[in-house]
Amino acid sequence: MEKPKAINNPMLVGAMELLKSDNSTKHRDFFLQELLKAHLLTPATVTPKPEKDENGAIKMLPDSQIQVPMLSTREGVRYFMAFTDIQEMKKWVKSLEEGQQLFVFGFQDFATMVKRTDSQCDGFAINPGGANIRVTRRMIDTIQEALASGDKSRE
């Protein structure tokens, strides 16, 4: 069985640093390109707890429920947490709680969760313990519209 690859997003981290220092169109476009390619970590609680099969692979039951924690601003705005790597995640989540798993999501996965009709979340925050770049529901809509219209410069 092949060992899973570590999640690292050095280009996205670099794009976030550039964006924080200079919020120019060029840096926003670079950030967006890297965001669309990124694989981000997020903690989640799965109920019932997944079990390992005979090969040691984690197996979820068909009726499993996945709960992804959110963080809230002082104003009460909620965001899912997304991390570029395990080191960034450890700045926020010191230890995983019982039953908590790590999931790897991309932009579209977060977009789907945020835009669910029952979602109480306004977006997702990348590296909330560090750069804390927030991708809001409105930004998600704009990105998806650009992708749907075939704006190749955004891919």
Side-chain angles (χ1 to χ4, degrees):
M1 188 163 127
E2 186 177 323
K3 184 178 177 182
K5 294 180 182 175
I7 299 298
N8 285 305
N9 293 281
M11 295 296 287
L12 178 59
V13 170
M16 290 170 30
E17 289 172 8
L18 286 171
L19 190 59
K20 285 287 213 181
S21 69
D22 176 20
N23 189 6
S24 66
T25 302
K26 179 181 175 182
H27 292 157
R28 283 192 303 269
D29 286 347
F30 179 50
F31 166 75
L32 180 56
Q33 289 171 8
E34 293 306 317
L35 174 61
L36 293 174
K37 293 187 282 188
H39 296 96
L40 302 163
L41 292 170
T42 192
T45 303
V46 180
T47 309
K49 186 178 178 182
E51 297 177 4
K52 290 186 179 180
D53 66 14
E54 61 278 354
N55 298 322
I58 293 179
K59 186 176 181 180
M60 289 184 10
L61 299 171
D63 61 343
S64 292
Q65 301 238 337
I66 300 170
Q67 183 177 5
V68 178
M70 292 181 266
L71 58 94
S72 295
T73 65
R74 288 186 184 106
E75 298 79 27
V77 181
R78 295 178 171 194
Y79 295 94
F80 290 116
M81 294 180 279
F83 301 94
T84 55
D85 53 61
I86 197 74
Q87 291 78 17
E88 283 295 329
M89 193 185 89
K90 285 181 178 178
K91 289 179 184 177
W92 189 264
V93 182
K94 301 298 182 211
S95 63
L96 295 177
E97 296 174 14
E98 180 68 30
Q100 199 167 55
Q101 303 288 317
L102 290 181
F103 281 76
V104 178
F105 289 157
F107 169 80
Q108 292 296 353
D109 299 311
F110 281 107
T112 299
M113 291 190 317
V114 168
K115 293 177 71 173
R116 284 178 46 149
T117 54
D118 62 345
S119 177
Q120 300 174 358
C121 202
D122 190 52
F124 60 99
I126 305 171
N127 294 346
N132 194 23
I133 300 285
R134 297 175 191 169
V135 180
T136 65
R137 181 184 300 257
R138 195 162 147 203
M139 291 168 66
I140 291 168
D141 289 341
T142 301
I143 293 166
Q144 289 183 321
E145 287 168 13
L147 291 171
S149 71
D151 184 348
K152 299 298 181 196
S153 69
R154 300 271 185 200
E155 293 181 350

